[in-house]
Amino acid sequence: MNIDKINTETEANKFSKQTEYMEKIKRYLSDFEQDTGRKQTYFVFTTGCQMNAHDSEKIAGMLEEMGFLRSLTEEDADFVIYNTCCIRENAEVKIYGRLGRLKHFKKTNKNMKIALCGCMTQQDVVIEKLRKSYKYVDIVFGTFNLYKLPELLYTNLETNETVFDIWKEEKGIVENIPTILEYPFKASVNISYGCDNFCSYCIVPYVRGRERSRKKEDILNEIKCLAASGIKEIVLLGQNVNSYGKNLNPPVSFAQLLREINELDGIERIRFMTSHPKDLSDELILAMKECSKVCNYLHLPFQAGSNAILEKMNRKYTKEKYLELINKIRSQIPDILLSTDIMVGFPGETEDDFLDTLDVVNTVGFSTAFTFIYSKRTGTPAAVMDNQIDEKTVKDRFNRLVDAVNKKIYEIHSGFVGKTLNILVEDVSKQDENIVSGRSENNCLVHFPGNKDIIGQTVPVKITGNKTFYLIGERI
Ligand code: SAH
Ligand code: SF4
Ligand code: F3S
């Protein structure tokens, strides 16, 4: 796969200090190459959301800039980085398990350095555990100081001691971090960091800090650069994109930002996530309708259908308000497809509460839905609420939810059979090199015959079949 290097062109800033450390590591790596006849390699393992995936693109960017080569396997890499998520307990369990395995690899590969970063390391309990039971981890940093990786690695190389560097909050947004994109035709762009909503179940505000918006000019400049390098689709990222810019001076609305991005040459598709229903304005619906490049697709998590549960979740809307909003969006943009996040098993959830959730699923009809079992996160208000739901009841509700969701997905996708969709081709199938997959503007996943040469192209595809989670078709 082609890999592009993007260096956002903004004023000189904090990252420039790191370039000194990058130079030092470059020299260290070139000495290593002279001694051994090979380059050092890195492997980044990422869990969690697109925010983390994009952070990993920055980690890869810094490492390659210093002279590391990407390794396809973890066990023989010289530098292994786990960029972690802690949204649910099983995300953490997975990382500890994988770290245990890595200990054995490190025994046979003496050069191996291990770094842990991301949301998980922002929790004191995790740091304690690492200090006590995972002494072989070399570098631990958090979500606010990712840009310091060169300095932290250099310190570790000099001292050979574990480096812990966790900040409680960010000290200003850092621009100019070199980035290596996963795909040469689509890119994620941060528009805001952190979250101020404090949904009662959620750990994100504690590990990602208060909401900060990037300056509009920095965002536009980055997108111009991306367009110039051949990027066709951008995904704007924020925990709640709808509240983008309210603390900027002067304030900028998300709708305004979308309109300006829509004017930029080269970009064909604009996506964004995530939207909080409480902040989705009429101005934004109008901007989505009027901006030709903004995709007819909206990810709008509703979490739960019961008003009592929504209140306890601190979501600040009711079932009725959510459904009203959906109607309003559909009346303005009739062919829009909707996706959502749904949770079952929140403390105190009764059967009737759950039926309200099913009702929203059946009333709206989502083309995609991410379904979760509530996971208790220490430090959040929900963790100490009464009536945590037993596992059997939760599993039963979860299965019923998934059945309802899938039935609707199948119905919605059936409506596309016989139609033609423009597909931006993303990947070749792992099982068959003569099958490719890509996405329509409204985010339907489509598989059809083709080969790697058309990756990154937008092609018309006639839909011939419905496999629930994806469609099949033929290029016309
Ligand atoms: N900022 C986004 C989502 C961030 S987390 C938003 O507000 O929509 C992605 C999803 O994980 C959430 O929408 C929620 O459904 C789920 N989630 C968050 N905390 C969780 C928890 N403690 N247990 C289970 N699922 C959770
Ligand atoms: Fe978590 Fe709520 Fe913020 Fe989303 S809006 S990140 S669910 S606190
Ligand atoms: Fe996970 Fe952090 Fe994203 S907790 S969901 S990686 S913001």
Side-chain angles (χ1 to χ4, degrees), residues 197-202 302-317 342-347 349 374 382 385:
N197 290 316
F198 290 95
C199 300
S200 63
Y201 49 80
C202 183
F302 79 88
Q303 313 296 359
S306 143
N307 290 340
I309 296 293
L310 284 169
E311 167 118 39
K312 281 177 39 175
M313 285 179 163
N314 193 29
R315 289 291 288 181
K316 300 197 168 74
Y317 53 84
I342 315 167
M343 200 187 298
V344 291
F346 186 83
E349 184 188 69
Y374 165 75
M385 285 182 187

Side-chain angles (χ1 to χ4, degrees), residues 326-343:
I326 297 289
N327 282 340
K328 193 151 66 173
I329 295 164
R330 281 193 166 141
S331 70
Q332 293 291 321
I333 314 167
D335 55 350
I336 198 164
L337 289 188
L338 298 158
S339 94
T340 199
D341 292 347
I342 315 167
M343 200 187 298

Side-chain angles (χ1 to χ4, degrees), residues 49 86-89 195 197 199-204 238-240 273-277 299-303 315 340-344 370-377 380 382:
C49 63
C86 56
I87 198 86
R88 283 167 288 276
E89 192 186 0
C195 182
N197 290 316
C199 300
S200 63
Y201 49 80
C202 183
I203 199 151
V204 171
Q239 292 301 343
N240 178 11
M273 69 187 303
T274 299
S275 285
H276 194 304
H299 181 63
L300 196 65
F302 79 88
Q303 313 296 359
R315 289 291 288 181
T340 199
D341 292 347
I342 315 167
M343 200 187 298
V344 291
F370 301 90
T371 47
F372 305 108
I373 288 177
Y374 165 75
S375 167
K376 189 170 165 174
R377 303 284 60 209
T380 63

